[in-house]
Amino acid sequence: MLSKSLRIACAGAAAALALTACSSSSSSGGGGGKTLKVAYQKFGNEIHVDAHMQKVKAQFEAAHPGITVKLDPINVSENDYYTKIDLMMGSSSTAPDVVYEDTFLINSDIQAGYLTPLDSYLSTWSDWSQFPDTAKAAARGLDGKTYGVPMGTDTRALYYNKDLLTKAGITVPWQPKSWADVLAAAKAIKANDPGVIPLNVYSGKPDGEGSTMQGFEMLLYGTQDTLYDGSSKKWIAPSKGFTDSLQFLKDAYSGGLTVPPQQELDPNIGNVVGGQLLPASKLAIDLDGSWVTSTWTATGAKPWPAWSTALGEAAMPTQDGGGKGTTSMSGGWTLSVTAKSKNKDLAAQFVELALNKDNSASYDDADGQIAVRNDVASDPAYQNSNPTTAFFTGLVPVTNYRPAYAEYPKVSDAIQVATEAVITGQASPADAMKTYTETLKGIVGSGNVAAGSS
């Protein structure tokens, strides 16, 4: 339902709407009869972006008579979505006006000429001051310009089935202190009930960035090494941390502690984990993202009323308990305006409406997002919206971010290849490390690669 203030503003009342403009004049790009195209992913259990866009479409059309918002929910897996929108954005005949963009692709898509800087619009949008610098940085290009507005962020941790751990003799609440503790718990669960999958850690190419970020990087950033050293401006390879992370995957998969490799390499594995295995108590421990709970709410794809009592959450420990003791990874998605959009002014207005306070709050609540707007994050209604909000927000002090340079998507692909080779037994961790190192040098140049710990 369109808010009263929005109706008044677009009717020409003195109170201004917190958007770039509501005019339908040619100067604002709001001429009658235009169509605004919005592209985003809708796949498996992830239905909340579509619901959000449907709501904003109704609001926007009510505020802009004569404008039609054409939604394009793309029903493909994550990697295929990235490919699809790149192809769409590459042509003026197929480019959407607004695109749902993963933050790690921002710089590569800027380099490809796919996105429009939004600074001129955001400078007049009073709501932009509600976004902290860390959130703004997620959509900022290497040129210093801003190419999207964040929808929310996330962290990652271990979900665990309290009953399955208790039956295996593990005390809950459970908080492992090291990787060894995680594997020990998985072994205890397997010994107690061979019919239960002890542990899920995403790996391999089909799950795309999920494998890189939910799986591998949650391990790597718990070691002494990272993917990229910001001080030396070098990509890191080889490193002991990288090899040790692959060794953890080898130990888990070869020990029968995980989803079988052939099942893990199904692009639908994330939907199976959240929609089937966890609710059916067939999976004991899942290394996953803060948004997963949105699948189980009353408006989610697979409602599961008992999830908040059946499951517990534990921070992912560092390799040996060193450093901060626990670790996480954070990312997120933005709404961006494409470079080939013929309706950039309208597109910017759509983005600002979609991510105003009320719409951001409702989306963050529904999709299990960690709020990035200060006014939403401090709202008691948001803080109490999900039993896990406080836990996942509490991981922000130990979280890490991907080196989202233009080369990162290719680096991520190389990581996926390495993890798949290890979990399927095609390569040892040491050999996969060597292959990754050579691939990395080919991507970024040998002079931009330095060895890490040994």
Side-chain angles (χ1 to χ4, degrees):
M1 187 71 180
L2 193 64
S3 69
K4 181 178 179 181
S5 61
L6 186 54
R7 294 198 303 270
I8 292 173
C10 291
L17 177 66
L19 294 172
T20 306
C22 276
S23 169
S24 61
S25 68
S26 58
S27 63
S28 72
K34 289 187 176 180
T35 298
L36 190 73
K37 296 180 289 185
V38 181
Y40 53 92
Q41 185 190 26
K42 180 186 178 185
F43 179 67
N45 298 336
E46 297 296 323
I47 62 175
H48 295 292
V49 175
D50 180 59
H52 184 67
M53 295 303 181
Q54 296 285 354
K55 181 176 74 169
V56 178
K57 165 185 164 70
Q59 293 177 353
F60 195 84
E61 289 178 344
H64 297 77
I67 302 298
T68 299
V69 176
K70 181 181 179 181
L71 301 181
D72 185 5
I74 300 173
N75 185 18
V76 294
S77 63
E78 193 168 276
N79 273 357
D80 290 340
Y81 175 72
Y82 301 147
T83 301
K84 173 81 171 184
I85 60 172
D86 277 359
L87 290 172
M88 292 170 66
M89 291 189 292
S91 170
S92 57
S93 64
T94 57
D97 298 292
V98 176
V99 64
Y100 177 64
E101 178 90 351
D102 197 325
T103 53
F104 89 95
L105 290 170
I106 290 284
N107 278 296
S108 62
D109 282 351
I110 293 169
Q111 189 176 74
Y114 293 153
L115 303 179
T116 293
L118 300 179
D119 304 82
S120 62
Y121 301 102
L122 298 176
S123 65
T124 61
W125 186 40
S126 60
D127 285 30
W128 192 230
S129 64
Q130 292 293 337
F131 291 77
D133 288 342
T134 51
K136 292 177 178 178
R140 187 178 298 132
L142 296 177
D143 59 6
K145 298 177 182 178
T146 301
Y147 289 83
V149 177
M151 299 183 73
T153 189
D154 47 43
T155 52
R156 287 148 178 81
L158 296 163
Y159 292 90
Y160 63 88
N161 184 297
K162 297 176 185 176
D163 186 54
L164 293 178
L165 264 67
T166 299
K167 289 179 178 178
I170 301 165
T171 302
V172 296
W174 176 61
Q175 177 54 62
K177 302 298 184 184
S178 65
W179 292 359
D181 286 354
V182 175
L183 292 176
K187 291 174 182 176
I189 291 160
K190 180 179 177 67
N192 178 71
D193 188 348
V196 168
I197 298 168
L199 174 66
N200 175 57
V201 182
Y202 294 109
S203 301
K205 282 185 62 64
D207 201 47
E209 187 63 13
S211 294
T212 306
M213 197 172 182
Q214 269 94 275
F216 184 81
E217 289 175 352
M218 283 292 292
L219 294 166
L220 178 64
Y221 281 80
T223 72
Q224 295 181 27
D225 293 297
T226 61
L227 287 179
Y228 183 85
D229 183 352
S231 59
S232 66
K233 300 190 183 303
K234 302 279 189 181
W235 293 84
I236 304 304
S239 74
K240 182 177 185 299
F242 197 106
T243 305
D244 287 353
S245 298
L246 292 176
Q247 186 65 49
F248 178 96
L249 295 177
K250 175 179 172 58
D251 293 343
Y253 277 86
S254 65
L257 304 177
T258 61
V259 176
Q262 63 270 26
Q263 186 177 10
E264 181 61 46
L265 297 179
D266 181 342
N268 286 296
I269 183 61
N271 294 321
V272 172
V273 167
Q276 300 175 30
L277 297 179
L278 284 171
S281 295
K282 294 297 184 181
L283 172 63
I285 304 168
D286 177 34
L287 180 54
D288 223 318
S290 51
W291 64 88
V292 173
T293 62
S294 66
T295 298
W296 308 318
T297 63
T299 58
K302 302 288 183 180
W304 179 23
W307 73 266
S308 61
T309 54
L311 298 181
E313 300 80 38
M316 181 65 184
T318 56
Q319 181 176 14
D320 57 6
K324 295 180 180 179
T326 59
T327 189
S328 188
M329 296 295 301
S330 290
W333 294 72
T334 71
L335 291 183
S336 299
V337 176
T338 66
K340 290 184 168 60
S341 167
K342 299 180 179 66
N343 302 293
K344 291 184 175 65
D345 290 355
L346 278 175
Q349 293 171 41
F350 183 92
V351 171
E352 292 173 356
L353 174 61
L355 297 175
N356 67 16
K357 181 186 178 184
D358 289 345
N359 285 332
S360 288
S362 64
Y363 171 71
D364 291 342
D365 181 8
D367 200 48
Q369 294 285 307
I370 295 175
V372 293
R373 287 185 59 123
N374 292 327
D375 50 5
V376 175
S378 62
D379 190 330
Y382 162 75
Q383 294 172 353
N384 297 321
S385 63
N386 186 307
T388 63
T389 296
F391 169 80
F392 282 106
T393 301
L395 296 176
V396 171
V398 300
T399 203
N400 300 278
Y401 297 88
R402 296 163 290 184
Y405 297 105
E407 303 91 347
Y408 177 80
K410 293 181 180 179
V411 175
S412 176
D413 185 76
I415 292 170
Q416 294 159 33
V417 170
T419 62
E420 184 167 323
V422 168
I423 70 169
T424 57
Q426 297 177 58
S428 67
D431 287 341
M433 174 80 265
K434 291 177 183 177
T435 301
Y436 170 79
T437 301
E438 293 308 308
T439 302
L440 180 64
K441 290 178 179 177
I443 295 170
V444 304
S446 298
N448 295 313
V449 178
S453 66
S454 58

